[in-house]
Each structure stands twice: as C-alpha cells, then as structure tokens.
Amino acid sequence: MSPGKQATEPEAAVVAAGVRLEKMNRRVRLSRLVLFTAIAAGPVALGVALVSGPTTVAATPKTEPTTMRTTATAADPSGYAQLFVGAWLRSSADDAATAQARLAQSLAPDVELPDPAADAHDAHARLESVTAVRSAQREPGRWWVTVAAQYADASVRYFAVPVTADESGGSFTVTGAPGVVAGPGRAEVTKSLYGVSVPEGELSSTVGEFLGAYLTGAGEVERYLAPGVQLPAVSPAPYRAVTVRQVLAVEEAAAEEKVPGDGTTVRVLAQVEARDEAGRWPLAYELELKARSGRWDVAALASGIAQKEVRS
C-alpha cells in the first residue's frame, strides 16, 4: 500500500466521525427544542414530548377528498310547477314540436299535453300569466303546488300540480296532470297596530319631506336619517310629487306636540299619494323614527305592514 493511500484512510475516518458527531449534536438540539416547547405548552404536551422520541417522524395520513352534499329539507318546487303550467297551457297535442310543448314534456315526461280548440287563443281566452300561490308538502319529497292562471278577460283558474323532489332538493319532476281546483280562501285581516293618529307637526313633516326626497329626488335623503343609517333614494326617481295623506303610529309618543327626549323610538305607517305622468298612486310606508336634539330622524324603512304586536 502506498504512503499516500495510507495517509488518506485516517483522514476519511476522522471525517466520518465528525459527520456522526454533527448528527448527534443536531439530535440533541432538536430534543431540547421539543422539550422546551412542550414545557411552554403545558404538562400534557410535556408528557407527550417525553414519550415521543425526536427522531421519530410520523407520516401525515393521506386525506381522502371530502364530498359535500347540500340537503334542502324544505325545497319548495313552486317555481318549477309554475314554469310547467305556463308551458302546458300554451301547448297543443297536435303540435308537440313547439318550444312550449317540448318544455312541458321535459318538465313532466309522463303528462299528456292538452288539446285546445282552434279559437282558444282569442282575446278572451288568451293566457296572460301564471303564478304559484301556494305549496304544501304531503310527505317527504312529494308536494302539491297551486298555480293561478290569469287570462286576458281577467278570469283566473287555479291548478293543483303534483311534484316530486329528490333527496338533495335540487331536482324536481311533475308526476301527474294538473287538476283545476278552487282558489285559496281569503284570510281574515287582523287589527292593525297603528291606532294612534299623528297630527300635523314635526313628525308628519319629517315623514313627508323624507318620502319626497326618497321618491322624487327633491332634496337629499341623508339629512333625514339617524346617525349611522344608510338608505339610498329610489333611482331613477319614479314620481314627481308625493303628498302625505295620513300618518298613524303604534306609540302615543308620536302624537305628542313636542318632540320627546333623545332616543325615543316610534313606529309609524305613512299613507301617501304619489303622482307621475301616468297618474296618481296610493302608497304606504312603515317607518321607524328616533328622537334626537328636538327633531325626528328616520331610523328604518320597512316593506309591508306589521300586524303582530311586538312585545318587549
């Protein structure tokens, strides 16, 4: 063996020993890091760190893709039934190739198309619109939808349509021919909460000026709003003039001559008359107003009329 080769082997051994020493030092530093972290995290984490060796690396298990399913437990097929009745009434068995007939058959494959008379589409019998007015779930996945059909002569017929929905609530099928039924009854109107008459004064004036700005664009809506309330005006402005006919309130404070203390809130129903080029239109708005610094600010504008008493 040559002298050069004999000198190389000890050097290689020293290098290998150094590499092993460096690996051991790294393991020691890693163990200390894990131990100190566990101490900071608490006793439970410390116990886990002492049991688990620093050289053990746990492979992260492969996660399977999660399949998300959206279940509409109360899926309402009213729109589906409305679409079907509109297409079905405009169809004819004599011409199943029309767009309306194809649509009706796609929504209800097993339902026979009607056979209207030749003069069924005159001015009196012409279908104007269809609207779903009621839906009732008979059992899970099965519905009855009542659809109103209005004709050009102002007559209305009501059709009950059976519809089936799948488990996800995303697919529907009309399962039988519609049947003509009596229309929904008229519900009894409960007594309105707005029983306090508001005289002319600060409150009624604020209501009139606010609605004028809101509906005609005359003035800025923001000046009538309570701090923090955002309510953009109707755009483009639909009317040229608005007149307050009557203001009714729930709370007696709305009828007081003087504006009450700051923070007092009242609910009012404003009945107004709006005018445009096409005529005169009676409108109603439910508002909530709040007293501030001797004036009334509009705190909320609601659509519809509250009928149930609000209990505090």
Side-chain angles (χ1 to χ4, degrees):
M1 182 177 295
S2 63
K5 194 170 184 180
Q6 291 176 356
T8 301
E9 290 177 353
E11 292 177 357
V14 171
V15 171
V19 171
R20 288 194 297 271
L21 181 61
E22 178 62 21
K23 289 183 177 180
M24 292 178 64
N25 290 336
R26 289 180 181 177
R27 293 176 180 176
V28 171
R29 288 196 297 270
L30 180 59
S31 300
R32 290 175 178 175
L33 177 60
V34 172
L35 182 61
F36 292 156
T37 303
I39 293 174
V44 175
L46 176 61
V48 174
L50 293 177
V51 174
S52 304
T55 58
T56 302
V57 179
T60 303
K62 183 179 179 181
T63 58
E64 297 294 332
T66 302
T67 302
M68 298 184 65
R69 297 183 62 186
T70 302
T71 303
T73 56
D76 190 339
S78 295
Y80 192 90
Q82 175 179 319
L83 185 64
F84 163 73
V85 171
W88 186 78
L89 289 174
R90 295 182 175 96
S91 302
S92 174
D94 292 337
D95 191 359
T98 64
Q100 294 292 343
R102 293 198 305 271
L103 176 59
Q105 290 176 324
S106 68
L107 300 175
D110 299 328
V111 175
E112 184 180 359
L113 294 177
D115 188 14
D119 59 350
H121 298 288
D122 60 16
H124 296 288
R126 185 176 67 251
L127 180 65
E128 289 289 326
S129 64
V130 290
T131 306
V133 296
R134 183 175 60 186
S135 62
Q137 189 172 15
R138 297 186 296 175
E139 56 189 64
R142 302 184 67 188
W143 295 73
W144 278 110
V145 180
T146 304
V147 178
Q150 182 179 0
Y151 295 86
D153 60 357
S155 62
V156 179
R157 285 183 181 176
Y158 295 90
F159 295 87
V161 184
V163 183
T164 294
D166 65 1
E167 293 183 357
S168 68
S171 299
F172 306 104
T173 301
V174 174
T175 57
V180 175
V181 296
R186 180 177 298 176
E188 181 181 353
V189 179
T190 59
K191 184 179 179 180
S192 174
L193 292 178
Y194 299 98
V196 179
S197 180
V198 179
E200 293 185 6
E202 182 67 25
L203 191 147
S204 59
S205 177
T206 298
V207 170
E209 293 174 8
F210 163 74
L211 291 176
Y214 182 71
L215 297 172
T216 70
E220 297 180 357
V221 171
E222 290 77 11
R223 63 176 296 189
Y224 303 102
L225 301 179
V229 176
Q230 296 182 352
L231 181 64
V234 180
S235 181
Y239 303 106
R240 63 185 182 188
V242 174
T243 304
V244 176
R245 300 173 59 183
Q246 186 180 37
V247 178
L248 301 173
V250 177
E251 294 81 8
E252 293 286 348
E256 296 179 2
E257 184 177 349
K258 294 181 59 178
V259 178
D262 289 3
T264 302
T265 301
V266 296
R267 291 163 292 167
V268 303
L269 173 65
Q271 297 174 345
V272 303
E273 179 181 285
R275 290 183 176 271
D276 60 7
E277 292 76 7
R280 176 180 60 86
W281 312 97
L283 306 175
Y285 291 90
E286 183 185 354
L287 302 166
E288 183 177 293
L289 294 98
K290 182 176 293 186
R292 179 175 65 93
S293 302
R295 56 171 288 177
W296 288 103
D297 290 336
V298 176
L301 169 65
S303 59
I305 300 175
Q307 297 290 346
K308 293 195 300 182
E309 182 179 0
V310 179
R311 299 179 180 177
S312 57

